[in-house]
């Protein structure tokens, strides 16, 4: 019997949403004003969060209103910020100058594929800012205007920039196809920074940034809540396995600081991923600790400005120094790893107060982490499996037929492609790849990254996630795939709604949840249920008791 889709409130049914009109508008793109359609944009930040961010131009405003209450000199603020970044970032000026409009990126964006909106073509999304650049920073644009592709920075243009900067998940799929290497995600980052200078930020981003700055994680979890959460996970693990795990928090002198995404404390299925990590650490007797002040690996500051990203990310290293650990082990997160691999050394330089990471279990030296001193949990676990340090029973995952979603930030920004697949194939007997042009470096986004996984923009999320869901549907119908694995907390938060809408019957899991199912722990009781409390295949009668 077919499973009915779960349709979020205000979102059309899938058969209606999939009727996408790719006809260009009758007017030219410069003459087509942006339409703020409900379900396609996020709400502006509240005054409480704007003040906490120490944002410029602090005031009550709403993205739904006609008047955004901007200061009289808003245009000068925007252009001065743009000029500053043109001086500071050579790549930004290059990206403004070298695009030849070849169109190689045009049909690569999941938001264009899912919406048919030409301004979601990466080439045109960048052109929104590039046209302003030509008008104010090139001789041709100043004198020739539209003939040179230049336009004035008007109120409508500013709103257009805001609307489409927050219809980009900065996934960088377009950059994988650009023959000139233009990274439109970097252009989006600049646009968001310029908008932030005017106090224009979404609340779904501002709130987590404020929480992280105050309490060390996006959710605002306080130290006692973190302890209670981990204790709850430990109790669930004991119920399932009979083994008591004992995580430690703020323990000075531990060898390893573990930092994961706070989404894995908050809601299923991320909680099961966290439980799997706790089980592995216990089984190995790993000398590790959590920090209650840096319990977040993710960084919504990155979706605001580079300065906020620096401020939030450094808390991890400040805690590593305070707790006197040797190196850092990071959990299944997405943009956390993009920051570490693409930005960290530029921002801070080598972290010389930590040691080059070496696995205390296998002796493997993680050469790629020589500078950052941070090792990915999947790299760590894959090394354990390769050296035979974990006893695994893949048959415990026989109720699953699994495919793997390459998270944008770990694949394109990190080249992290084989380790998660190696783990899955060792803990699962039924693994199927999605079509080649939808995975690895060409992977499609979940449609909700870079702070877009809010509740008010669900139609946009369903449209943006359509290409990924379409690839999942292919393996679901061909092989009976019923589980979509990933290694990103935002994916674990966003993909369940996407699957329920487009491919009902397919669940979402973190890689280490499947490791937890397969892990045979020393002294465990007979396992009859998986981490979700569902009966293992062949153990249904015992699992129901």
């Amino acid at each position: 019997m077919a499973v009915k889709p779960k349709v979020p409130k205000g979102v059309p049914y899938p058969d209606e949403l999939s009727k996408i009109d790719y006809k260009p508008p009758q007017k030219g793109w410069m003459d087509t004003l942006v339409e703020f359609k409900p379900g396609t944009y996020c709400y502006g930040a509240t005054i409480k969060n704007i003040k906490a961010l120490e944002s410029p131009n602090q005031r009550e405003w709403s993205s739904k209103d006609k008047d955004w209450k901007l200061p009289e000199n808003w245009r000068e603020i925007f252009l001065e910020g743009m000029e500053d970044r043109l001086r500071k970032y050579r790549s930004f000026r290059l990206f403004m100058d070298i695009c030849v409009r070849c169109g190689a990126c045009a049909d690569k964006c999941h938001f264009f594929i899912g919406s048919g909106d030409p301004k979601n073509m990466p080439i045109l999304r960048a052109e929104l800012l590039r046209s302003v650049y030509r008008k104010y920073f090139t001789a041709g644009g100043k004198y020739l205007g539209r003939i040179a592709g230049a336009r004035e920075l008007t109120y409508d243009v500013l709103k257009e920039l805001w609307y489409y900067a927050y219809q980009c998940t900065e996934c960088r799929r377009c950059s994988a196809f650009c023959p000139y290497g233009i990274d439109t995600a970097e252009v989006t980052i600049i646009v968001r920074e310029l908008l932030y200078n005017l106090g224009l930020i979404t609340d779904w981003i501002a709130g987590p940034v404020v929480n992280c700055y105050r309490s060390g994680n996006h959710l605002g979890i306080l130290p006692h809540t973190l302890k209670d959460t981990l204790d709850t996970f430990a109790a669930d693990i004991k119920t399932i396995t009979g083994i008591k795990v004992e995580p430690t928090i703020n323990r000075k002198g531990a060898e390893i600081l573990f930092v994961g995404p706070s989404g894995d404390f908050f809601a299923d299925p991320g909680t099961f991923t966290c439980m799997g990590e706790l089980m592995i650490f216990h089984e190995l007797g790993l000398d590790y600790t959590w920090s209650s002040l840096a319990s977040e690996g993710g960084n919504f500051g990155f979706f605001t400005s580079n300065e906020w990203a620096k401020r939030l990310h450094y808390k991890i290293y400040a805690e590593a120094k305070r707790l006197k650990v040797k190196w850092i082990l990071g959990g299944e997160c997405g943009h956390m790893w993009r920051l570490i691999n693409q930005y960290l050394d530029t921002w801070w330089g080598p972290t010389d107060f930590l040691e080059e990471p070496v696995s205390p279990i296998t002796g493997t030296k993680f050469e790629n982490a020589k500078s950052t001193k941070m090792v990915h949990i999947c790299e760590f676990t894959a090394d354990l499996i390769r050296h035979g340090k974990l006893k695994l029973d893949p048959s415990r995952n026989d109720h699953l037929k699994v495919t793997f979603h390459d998270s944008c930030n770990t694949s394109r920004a990190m080249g992290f492609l084989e380790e998660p697949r190696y783990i899955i194939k060792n803990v699962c007997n039924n693994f199927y790849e999605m079509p080649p042009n939808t995975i690895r470096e060409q992977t499609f986004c979940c449609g909700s990254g870079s702070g877009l996984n809010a509740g008010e923009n669900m139609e946009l999320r369903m449209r943006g996630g359509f290409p990924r869901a379409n690839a999942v549907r292919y393996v679901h119908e061909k092989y009976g795939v019923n589980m979509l694995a990933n290694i990103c907390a935002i994916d674990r938060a966003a993909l369940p709604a996407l699957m329920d809408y487009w491919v009902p019957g397919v669940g979402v899991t973190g890689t280490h949840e499947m490791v937890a199912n397969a892990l045979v722990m020393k002294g465990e009781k007979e396992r009859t249920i998986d981490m979700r409390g569902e009966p293992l295949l062949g153990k249904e009668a015992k699992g129901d008791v």
Side-chain angles (χ1 to χ4, degrees), residues 110-111 169 204 445-454 461-462 464-465 490 494:
H110 47 283
F111 283 122
T169 50
W204 187 251
C445 180
C446 66
S448 300
S450 79
L452 298 192
N453 56 326
R461 289 174 53 187
M462 296 303 103
I490 286 182

Side-chain angles (χ1 to χ4, degrees), residues 229-524:
T229 300
L230 295 179
D231 286 347
T232 299
F233 292 166
D236 289 343
I237 291 169
K238 187 174 182 181
T239 298
I240 296 168
T241 68
I243 303 295
K244 183 181 181 182
V245 304
E246 296 180 341
T248 64
I249 302 174
N250 297 330
R251 180 167 60 87
K252 289 188 176 181
E255 181 176 2
I256 298 166
L257 172 64
F258 179 73
V259 182
S262 63
D264 287 357
F265 307 146
F266 180 62
D268 303 342
T271 52
F272 307 124
T273 298
C274 186
M275 290 163 65
E277 292 160 346
L278 291 172
M279 290 166 63
I280 291 174
F281 300 160
H282 175 87
E283 185 66 13
L284 298 172
L286 201 67
D287 182 16
Y288 80 102
T289 189
W290 301 71
S291 163
S292 65
L293 303 179
S295 54
E296 177 67 73
N299 190 327
F300 270 49
F302 186 50
F303 310 143
T304 307
S305 70
N306 277 345
E307 291 306 314
W308 266 109
K310 291 178 190 177
R311 189 183 296 191
L312 297 187
H313 197 75
Y314 192 70
K315 71 186 185 305
I316 297 172
Y317 287 91
E319 277 299 273
K321 181 179 286 188
R322 183 181 75 86
L323 296 173
K324 295 180 170 53
V325 301
K326 293 182 179 179
W327 54 279
I328 305 168
L329 183 62
E332 291 189 19
C333 185
H335 56 278
M336 164 187 178
W337 290 101
R338 180 179 174 191
L339 284 166
I340 291 166
N341 281 270
Q342 291 193 321
Y343 292 85
L344 191 64
D345 282 349
T346 304
W347 286 346
W348 303 115
T351 47
D352 295 335
F353 60 89
L354 294 174
E355 296 181 10
E356 183 178 346
V358 176
S359 171
I361 311 302
T362 67
T364 296
K365 187 176 289 188
F366 297 104
E367 296 286 344
N368 59 307
K370 183 180 291 187
S371 181
T372 65
K373 311 300 192 295
M374 292 190 73
V375 175
H376 195 292
I377 184 68
C378 284
E379 184 180 16
F380 182 74
T381 301
D383 177 65
L384 294 170
I385 295 172
R386 191 172 289 113
H387 285 86
K389 299 299 183 181
L390 297 177
K391 186 176 180 181
L392 302 169
D393 180 3
S395 70
R396 291 179 177 174
N397 283 312
D398 279 353
H399 57 305
L400 305 178
K401 292 186 177 181
V402 182
T403 192
F404 181 68
H405 163 68
D406 290 278
S407 303
C408 304
N409 286 308
T410 52
S411 57
R412 278 187 287 270
M414 191 179 177
F416 203 70
L417 307 171
E418 300 306 327
E419 289 86 349
R421 287 177 168 82
Y422 179 79
I423 293 170
I424 292 170
K425 290 174 183 178
N426 276 275
V427 301
C428 172
N429 291 319
N430 305 300
F431 177 70
Y432 305 92
E433 289 277 21
M434 287 179 275
N437 62 334
T438 70
I439 58 173
R440 298 179 181 271
E441 292 91 342
Q442 296 185 38
T443 187
F444 277 112
C445 180
C446 66
S448 300
S450 79
L452 298 192
N453 56 326
E456 64 265 25
N457 63 334
M458 287 301 293
E459 180 177 331
L460 176 71
R461 289 174 53 187
M462 296 303 103
R463 288 187 180 278
F466 173 68
R468 166 48 71 224
N470 201 36
V472 176
R473 179 183 291 277
Y474 173 81
V475 289
H476 174 63
E477 294 178 347
K478 185 171 183 177
Y479 303 114
V481 162
N482 60 9
M483 188 61 74
L484 177 59
N486 63 82
I487 55 172
C488 172
I490 286 182
D491 286 332
R492 288 190 289 280
L495 287 171
L498 190 73
M499 293 300 102
D500 288 344
Y501 181 80
W502 287 114
V503 202
V506 175
V508 178
T509 181
T511 299
H512 277 78
E513 178 186 346
M514 290 188 295
V515 176
N517 286 340
L519 182 64
V520 181
M521 303 179 75
K522 293 185 287 288
E524 71 175 16

Side-chain angles (χ1 to χ4, degrees), residues 43-45 50 53 55-63 67-71 74 78 155 158-163 165-166 191-203 205-206 303-304:
Y43 298 153
I50 289 175
L53 282 175
S55 169
N57 193 30
Q58 297 177 10
R59 82 278 183 215
E60 287 277 8
W61 75 286
S62 171
S63 51
D67 181 7
W68 284 2
K69 302 177 183 177
L70 297 175
W74 68 265
F78 188 99
Y155 213 103
L158 184 76
K159 288 189 173 185
E160 182 180 61
L161 286 165
W162 190 88
Y163 188 73
Y166 290 102
V191 174
R192 289 190 181 187
E193 285 199 351
L194 298 174
L195 293 167
Y196 171 75
N197 287 345
L198 297 171
L200 299 174
I201 180 175
T202 72
D203 205 51
I205 292 175
F303 310 143
T304 307

Side-chain angles (χ1 to χ4, degrees), residues 120-131:
N120 270 323
M121 293 180 182
I123 179 176
L124 189 44
R125 187 187 290 117
E127 195 73 9
L128 302 179
L129 184 66
R130 197 174 282 122
S131 60

